[in-house]
Structure formats: C-alpha cells, structure tokens
Amino acid sequence: MAATAKLARQIGALATRGGWYGPHMAAASRAIAERLPLVDLVLEIRDARIPLSSEYEQLRNYPSSSRRIIVMNKMDLANRSQIKLLNFLLARVRELKRTNDFNYTAVIMLIGIPNVGKSALANSLHQIGRISAAEKGKLKHAIVSPNPGETKDISSLKIGSHPNVYVLDTPGVLPPKILDTEIYSKLALTGSIRDCLVGEREIAQYFLALLNSSDEYKKWAKLSMNVNDRTFLDLKVEGLSSCELDKKQKRQYPTDHTQDFMVHDVRRTLFETISSFDGNVQVGEDLSRLIETQFTSLREAFQIPVELDEEAQNKAATKLLNLYRTGRLGHYTLDSLPWHT
C-alpha cells in the first residue's frame, strides 16, 4: 500500500492549497456552536466508508455523550432502517425528557461533514414522521445535491408529534485545518471536497490505486471477455435477432441498475487490466503504468470518442467517480479501523 499512500499524500497536498474552507463554512461552524447547548439531542452523521475521517471535529469535546448518537450513512440507511431510526430517536427524546407530559417540544440537530447525507436523511425523517402522525399539509424539503456545500443555512423540519420533535438540518462543516494529508484524499474521493479543488482525474487515479491494491476486482472474474463471448454466442444460437437479443438481456435485469451493460464493461475492463498486469502495484512506477493503461481501456468501456484526446481521460475520470460514489464498483472502507471497532 506504500505506492497508494504516496498518491494519497500527493492528492492531499493539492487539497491543502485552500478554497474548501470559506467564510460560509466558518459562519456555519459558529452558528452550529451557538445552537449546540440548546438542542436536546445531537445526531452526528458519518460516512460509513470513512468512519474516522468523517468525524465532526467540533463534537470531540461535546460534554454529554448520552445526548449524542452516531449514524453511519451512505451504506446502511435504506427506507426500512430509517423508520427504525425515527422510532429510536423519538424514544430517546422521551427518555431524556423523563416526563408524562407529551405537549413539550424537543429539537434534534443533524451534524456532519459536507455531502454526508444529512439533508436527505432530514427529508426522509420528516416525511415518515408526518405520515406516522397522519398530519396533512405541504411537506418541507431540505436541499439535496450530490455536490458538497449546497446547504447554506440551518433549517427546521418536524419529524414527530406528541411530543413535537423537530430536526435541524445544518450545513456540512470541515475543520479549518487537517494535519493528516491522507484524510484530504479520502474526503475528496467520497465527495466531501469539491472535485474542482483537486481534479477529477487525480481523484480517479487514487480510486484506481485503491482498487488495484484490493481484492474487490476479483468478484468480477465472471465478467471476463470469454464468459461474455460464450453467453452472446449461446443466445445467438437460439436464433435471436440483435433486437430480440437486446430485449432478452434487458428482461434478465429489469430493476437491478448494477447490471447496466456499461457497468459490466467497466467492471470487466478493470478486472482484465489488473489480472493481466505483470508489474508490482506496490511500486510507484508500476502502479502509475497500470493506471494509465486502465484509463486508456476505460475510454472504450465508457464509449468516449477517441478524438477527444486529453479531454477523454477527464470524461473517463468523471464517469468512473460517479460509478464508485453510487456503489456500483464495490464497497470500500478507506479508514484503517482498530480490530475491536
């Protein structure tokens, strides 16, 4: 992993040039600090891919751990678990209040780094809470975007009645300075720092370095070219036309978007480039050579015109990052966790 760590530090050095911690983030940090003593419960949202690097630094000295709940997002918050989470939060609020009077009002503050999913979670809790309480009226919506920094102000959404429980959706905040440069690269890869501050091509190179050093790609062995060719030939033997073949392939995977044919091609391309590589991915020069080969091969997998030249690599990087961030290229825990965690 030495070569991968070196690449991570290089990306971290690019991120430290500044631009990611502006006046709006400083103002948001102050506003959150002012409201913290006034809320009943703090819900810290972390990215399950970087559970340590996505810690909200301002809460390290938060006085009451009994009023702080950590939720790992980006992996385990499907709709069913959100209902369980809402019920748990309401029960926790009642426990903290310790009263039989259900006419009081309680406030839960959502806190986390940029692009960790606070607004999406706030919207879901708001919608589920109103349905559970059979309340009518127009739903409010916090702004949800794949780009970090879209939430500018603290907004309030009701998630429970009797007692009345409100959740505060807050802007994502990073510390003004991070000493470990590798953390920058993890934040950049998971989308907590805007891509333009580092460069999509550089971030995609970091992802490929991680993939090349892991065993995740081995899961795609069945997608190798030979398997695809045999499947295609078997279907053609059935006497299907190209149009009928296409319809049959689509019927095989009617709802599973991970079975998208372009995703198959990308997975297959990555498997074949790694498995056929004759170098050592732990050596910096060899790793760089493999990554360049992968970029060239990915142009075809993404169907990017060759004439775009240098721009083709940038487009390939953008598409590759999108597949990684939507979970279609596997699941990765980027932080090294203690064995007892």
Side-chain angles (χ1 to χ4, degrees):
M1 296 290 288
T4 302
K6 182 179 179 181
L7 181 58
R9 289 192 294 271
Q10 291 173 351
I11 292 175
L14 292 174
T16 56
R17 294 178 301 183
W20 52 271
Y21 189 87
H24 72 283
M25 195 172 287
S29 182
R30 290 192 298 270
I32 291 170
E34 291 172 359
R35 287 169 173 77
L36 263 178
L38 306 177
V39 302
D40 298 282
L41 196 64
V42 172
L43 199 61
E44 182 188 357
I45 315 301
R46 296 192 190 182
D47 191 322
R49 298 166 296 181
I50 48 173
L52 302 181
S53 299
S54 59
E55 178 185 7
Y56 192 83
E57 189 177 73
Q58 207 168 341
L59 290 179
R60 286 180 182 172
N61 300 317
Y62 190 61
S64 178
S65 58
S66 64
R67 295 193 171 190
R68 175 189 178 191
I69 298 172
I70 298 174
V71 175
M72 294 297 175
N73 204 0
K74 298 289 187 178
M75 184 178 293
D76 60 347
L77 289 180
N79 287 337
R80 182 176 299 176
S81 61
Q82 288 177 4
I83 295 174
K84 292 180 181 179
L85 175 62
L86 176 60
N87 292 335
F88 172 76
L89 291 175
L90 297 179
R92 190 79 183 95
V93 166
R94 296 187 185 103
E95 180 183 328
L96 288 172
K97 288 293 186 179
R98 298 184 184 279
T99 176
N100 293 323
D101 179 15
F102 292 120
N103 292 320
Y104 62 83
T105 297
V107 178
I108 301 172
M109 178 180 279
L110 296 186
I111 285 181
I113 64 173
N115 205 28
V116 79
K118 298 184 297 299
S119 297
L121 178 57
N123 287 336
S124 181
L125 293 175
H126 175 52
Q127 183 174 14
I128 295 170
R130 288 178 63 87
I131 292 173
S132 300
E135 289 193 6
K136 298 180 180 179
K138 186 177 181 180
L139 285 171
K140 294 175 65 177
H141 290 284
I143 297 174
V144 177
S145 169
N147 300 315
E150 292 300 321
T151 301
K152 304 295 184 183
D153 302 303
I154 297 178
S155 58
S156 172
L157 293 88
K158 189 175 183 180
I159 65 171
S161 300
H162 309 295
N164 293 316
V165 182
Y166 292 85
V167 65
L168 299 182
D169 180 34
T170 65
V173 175
L174 291 167
K177 188 173 183 180
I178 301 174
L179 298 179
D180 186 347
T181 55
E182 286 192 40
I183 291 180
Y184 283 110
S185 59
K186 297 172 185 177
L187 293 172
L189 178 56
T190 53
S192 294
I193 297 177
R194 290 186 179 274
D195 293 339
C196 60
L197 298 178
V198 178
E200 289 179 314
R201 181 174 174 180
E202 288 75 10
I203 301 173
Q205 288 174 339
Y206 176 51
F207 165 68
L208 288 174
L210 290 169
L211 174 67
N212 296 336
S213 303
S214 73
D215 292 328
E216 189 71 22
Y217 75 94
K218 295 179 180 178
K219 298 177 182 179
W220 306 328
K222 62 182 179 181
L223 302 177
S224 186
M225 183 66 77
N226 291 334
V227 176
N228 279 346
D229 284 349
R230 286 199 300 272
T231 302
F232 182 80
L233 288 174
D234 289 344
L235 291 171
K236 291 297 285 185
V237 166
E238 296 178 15
L240 299 177
S241 66
S242 59
C243 181
E244 292 170 330
L245 174 60
D246 183 58
K247 289 181 180 178
K248 181 166 184 175
Q249 288 174 326
K250 289 181 179 178
R251 284 198 301 270
Q252 284 182 302
Y253 316 109
T255 59
D256 186 357
H257 296 296
T258 64
Q259 302 296 339
D260 176 79
F261 297 125
M262 182 175 290
V263 178
H264 269 219
D265 286 343
V266 171
R267 290 174 174 174
R268 174 184 54 77
T269 296
L270 292 172
F271 171 80
E272 292 179 350
T273 53
I274 300 172
S275 57
S276 63
F277 185 61
D278 58 0
N280 183 354
V281 294
Q282 303 305 324
V283 177
E285 291 182 0
D286 286 359
L287 179 61
S288 297
R289 181 163 55 89
L290 173 57
I291 290 174
E292 284 301 312
T293 300
Q294 289 172 318
F295 265 116
T296 301
S297 300
L298 285 170
R299 292 186 190 182
E300 182 177 349
F302 284 126
Q303 301 176 11
I304 299 173
V306 179
E307 57 268 20
L308 291 179
D309 196 32
E310 185 68 21
E311 183 62 23
Q313 288 207 356
N314 295 331
K315 285 186 174 293
T318 301
K319 292 176 180 292
L320 185 67
L321 288 176
N322 177 61
L323 292 185
Y324 161 73
R325 289 169 178 167
T326 53
R328 287 179 284 182
L329 292 181
H331 300 280
Y332 306 82
T333 301
L334 308 183
D335 284 337
S336 299
L337 301 177
W339 67 270
H340 55 79
T341 302

